[in-house]
């Protein structure tokens, strides 16, 4: 997700101050896995928190940084396991609220139980950005700049579409052709002697794992 041109463009818009000071990120990755992959999918055994949850949490950290002051989480244990004899008992859907420095906050939502909007919204003091669905592999970005008043808004909207490369072969998930951007970034790093991609620092990945592991423990302990 971090290597898609749409995301690179989004980060450049923020860096240039085009929507002012960032105040909140709301990211969602939700889909109906029962319909897509059935109950035989191995993902049920690890839960949606570690399959879908990593994407919106990564998006939030990418924009807000790592200086988290407080977190609150809630979630749902899948209801399929016991009725169907699978016995999954994993966190299938949930939400993580994170408060950062000042008034900056992020809401990350995920689910493998239903089809969600799968969009990411970034709210600034002078505008907002929307990564359109599918936000975890986005090809379309809208930048809305505020104008007028709340009663009589005069906003401007600019939408950029980033076409996926044409790659022969069969792809299962939306916009999977975009994985080529990540592969190209890895090649550039190897050629430069780097062991870490600047777009995806290892500290972010470790923090995502830590946050979701804590959420998984909290949600399951509440169920018990």
């Amino acid at each position: 997700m971090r290597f898609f041109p749409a995301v690179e463009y989004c980060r450049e818009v923020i860096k240039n101050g085009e929507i002012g000071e960032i105040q909140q990120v709301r990211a969602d990755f939700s889909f109906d896995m029962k319909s897509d992959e059935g109950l035989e999918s191995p993902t049920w055994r690890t839960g949606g928190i570690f399959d879908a949850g990593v994407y919106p949490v990564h998006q939030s950290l990418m924009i807000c940084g790592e200086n988290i002051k407080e977190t609150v989480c809630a979630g749902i244990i899948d209801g399929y396991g016991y009725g169907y004899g699978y016995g999954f008992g994993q966190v299938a859907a949930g939400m993580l609220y994170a408060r950062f420095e000042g008034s900056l906050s992020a809401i990350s939502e995920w689910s493998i139980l239903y089809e969600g909007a799968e969009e990411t919204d970034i709210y600034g003091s002078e505008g907002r950005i929307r990564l359109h669905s599918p936000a975890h592999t986005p090809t379309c970005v809208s930048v809305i700049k505020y104008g007028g008043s709340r009663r009589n808004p005069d906003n401007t909207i600019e939408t950029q579409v980033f076409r996926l490369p044409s790659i022969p072969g069969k792809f299962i998930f939306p916009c999977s052709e975009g994985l080529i951007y990540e592969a190209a970034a890895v090649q550039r790093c190897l050629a430069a002697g780097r062991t870490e991609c600047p777009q995806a620092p290892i500290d972010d990945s470790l923090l995502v794992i830590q946050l979701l592991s804590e959420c998984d423990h909290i949600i399951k302990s509440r169920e018990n």
Side-chain angles (χ1 to χ4, degrees):
M1 174 270 299
R2 289 175 179 247
F3 300 95
F4 272 66
V7 174
E8 300 272 24
Y9 169 74
C10 169
R11 296 174 76 169
E12 194 66 23
V13 169
I14 294 171
K15 181 181 176 181
N16 293 337
E18 294 184 39
I19 62 168
E21 181 181 356
I22 304 303
Q23 297 172 327
Q24 189 175 76
V25 175
R26 296 186 181 185
D28 167 72
F29 184 21
S30 303
F31 61 95
D32 185 347
M33 195 170 73
K34 182 184 174 186
S35 296
D36 286 350
E37 303 178 38
L39 289 170
E40 297 292 343
S41 172
T43 300
W44 292 107
R45 293 172 175 81
T46 56
I49 190 169
F50 295 115
D51 183 68
V54 293
Y55 290 94
V57 176
H58 259 288
Q59 288 170 331
S60 296
L61 293 184
M62 178 182 69
I63 304 301
C64 299
E66 299 179 356
N67 194 7
I68 298 175
K69 299 299 183 182
E70 179 185 14
T71 61
V72 179
C73 67
I76 299 171
I77 303 296
D78 73 79
Y80 292 128
Y82 308 106
Y84 287 81
Y86 287 85
F88 303 123
Q90 300 296 329
V91 179
M95 180 275 293
L96 172 66
Y97 173 88
R99 180 177 65 84
F100 298 81
E101 285 280 3
S103 60
L104 180 60
S105 65
I107 300 172
S108 306
E109 297 179 278
W110 66 86
S111 177
I112 56 175
L113 300 177
Y114 58 82
E115 293 290 335
E118 203 182 329
E119 294 176 330
T120 295
D121 290 302
I122 303 163
Y123 298 93
S125 57
E126 299 176 20
R128 65 182 185 271
I129 299 171
R130 168 161 290 181
L131 284 163
H132 294 273
S133 180
H136 76 291
T137 53
T139 58
C140 183
V141 183
S142 291
V143 179
I144 300 96
K145 297 180 181 178
Y146 300 144
S149 63
R150 184 177 179 187
R151 182 178 177 86
N152 298 296
D154 186 22
N155 300 337
T156 61
I157 303 176
E158 294 183 6
T159 299
Q160 298 281 346
V161 177
F162 299 85
R163 304 287 179 192
L164 287 168
S166 179
I167 302 175
K170 182 180 180 181
F171 295 92
I172 300 174
F173 300 114
C175 305
S176 291
E177 296 91 332
L179 290 172
I180 194 173
Y181 303 127
E182 182 179 10
V186 171
Q187 289 180 324
R188 290 194 299 270
C189 286
L190 292 174
R194 290 180 172 177
T195 57
E196 183 178 46
C197 286
Q199 299 101 317
I202 188 66
D203 285 347
D204 278 13
S205 292
L206 293 174
L207 182 54
V208 169
I209 293 169
Q210 176 189 336
L211 290 169
L212 291 179
S213 295
E214 290 172 355
C215 285
D216 187 66
H217 174 74
I218 291 170
I219 294 166
K220 287 177 179 175
S221 65
R222 288 172 180 166
E223 287 290 318
N224 295 330

